[in-house]
Amino acid sequence: MFTCKEYRKVETLEEAWQLNQKKSNLLIGGMLWVKMGHRNVRTVIDLSGLGLNEIEETEQEFRIGCMTTLRQLEQHEGLNRYTNGAIRESVCHIVGVQFRNGATVGGSVFGRFGFSDILTMLLAMDSYVELYKGGCIPLNEFVNRSRDRDVLVRVIIRKTPATFAYQSARNTRTDFPTLAAAVSCYNDTWHISVGARPGRAMLLTVKEPALLHERNPETIKPEERFAKYLSEYAAEHISVGTNLRGSAAYRRQLIKVLVKRACLEADRNQIRKQNS
Ligand SMILES: Cc1cc2nc3c(=O)[nH]c(=O)nc-3n(C[C@H](O)[C@H](O)[C@H](O)COP(=O)(O)OP(=O)(O)OC[C@H]3O[C@@H](n4cnc5c(N)ncnc54)[C@H](O)[C@@H]3O)c2cc1C
């Protein structure tokens, strides 16, 4: 059971940070994950009074407050237009609408859960985290850092011209993913993010021309060529493991299938964008 002695709705980020330095206290987002565990906490720290529950869109970027819910991401027109609906696809299989109305972006990203769909998606984007003390750092750097007691204030996504697609495989509806894959192409580079390996999402970047020179594409239809190569390349270079949802061998096969599908979808999205 999860218990706490005191609840504090903070008025400033400094207050939240100060309280969060005590190991007996706990900062919460939607509290949906932490309440599943057994823990006796002295003070829970609630950021919901700081106006960080919105997605601001500017010409250059999306600024997503840490208390923004997964449902807000799912329904945000600008984000879905920019990602060809991949953001919606990455969150819509998570439990149910009621749950997604509570789970936050801050809790999902700071938690760095191996099974995280949203972390997998965000890693394939030109994305950054804004930390109260640590400043703004690329998400890919943050994912591989060890946990500290900073406060995640916002996730920032730059609107770099790109194409996206997201795929996941679940043994049963609403379960954690057995494998998740997000693919994007920007700055002439393919970004392949694979999550639920079952470890934390991992990002592989491939300069398209280099990859195409590596193998002989003669036998495959031109539109499938790059997708097949990328998926095989990802299966070779992204490490996977075994847990109760699937074996490493099964996950390696899933990488080939999901990354190939995502690459083809991203390519179609790019053509659609160019023609519209
Ligand atoms: C039953 C269940 C099924 C799920 N299935 C999936 C799934 O299929 N796919 C998927 O991607 N996710 C899944 N999740 C995870 C979910 O989507 C959220 O990522 C998770 O609940 C964390 O969000 P939260 O707002 O509840 O965070 P909380 O539980 O409140 O916090 C999580 C952690 O983050 C810390 N934290 C929260 N906010 C901040 C902040 N601003 N700064 C610093 N630290 C912070 C907390 O201290 C805590 O350690 C599932 C969760 C549950 C409980």
Side-chain angles (χ1 to χ4, degrees), residues 20 26-36 39 47 66 70 93-95 99 102-108 110-111 113 115-118 147 150-153 170 174-177:
N20 200 36
L26 181 73
L27 199 148
I28 54 164
M31 216 180 128
L32 292 163
W33 181 256
V34 294
K35 75 169 186 193
M36 304 288 284
R39 206 156 159 186
L47 304 177
C66 62
L70 301 188
H93 303 286
I94 302 174
V95 189
F99 181 92
T104 63
V105 171
S108 302
F110 200 86
F113 307 110
F115 55 74
S116 180
D117 288 282
I118 188 63
R147 216 183 151 103
D150 209 340
V151 179
L152 193 155
V153 184
R170 286 171 155 78
T174 77
D175 190 10
F176 292 117

Side-chain angles (χ1 to χ4, degrees), residues 226-236 255-257 259-260:
F226 75 96
K228 188 167 179 346
Y229 291 167
L230 284 178
S231 62
E232 285 174 359
Y233 188 81
E236 271 170 38
I255 291 184
K256 287 187 192 168
V257 175
V259 170
K260 185 178 171 195

Side-chain angles (χ1 to χ4, degrees), residues 155-210:
V155 170
I156 295 163
I157 299 169
R158 293 213 182 123
K159 283 181 169 175
T160 307
T163 181
F164 299 94
Y166 186 84
Q167 293 276 329
S168 66
R170 286 171 155 78
N171 291 340
T172 180
R173 216 170 153 226
T174 77
D175 190 10
F176 292 117
T178 306
L179 196 93
V183 161
S184 68
C185 187
Y186 59 89
N187 298 341
D188 293 329
T189 302
W190 285 90
H191 297 73
I192 302 167
S193 162
V194 175
R197 302 177 293 118
R200 274 179 200 174
M202 185 178 156
L203 181 69
L204 191 68
T205 54
V206 185
K207 280 261 175 212
E208 189 179 0

Side-chain angles (χ1 to χ4, degrees), residues 11-27:
E11 289 178 4
T12 62
L13 281 168
E14 179 63 23
E15 186 188 355
W17 186 84
Q18 291 290 351
L19 283 168
N20 200 36
Q21 298 320 295
K22 282 210 178 119
K23 281 196 177 146
S24 53
N25 295 346
L26 181 73
L27 199 148

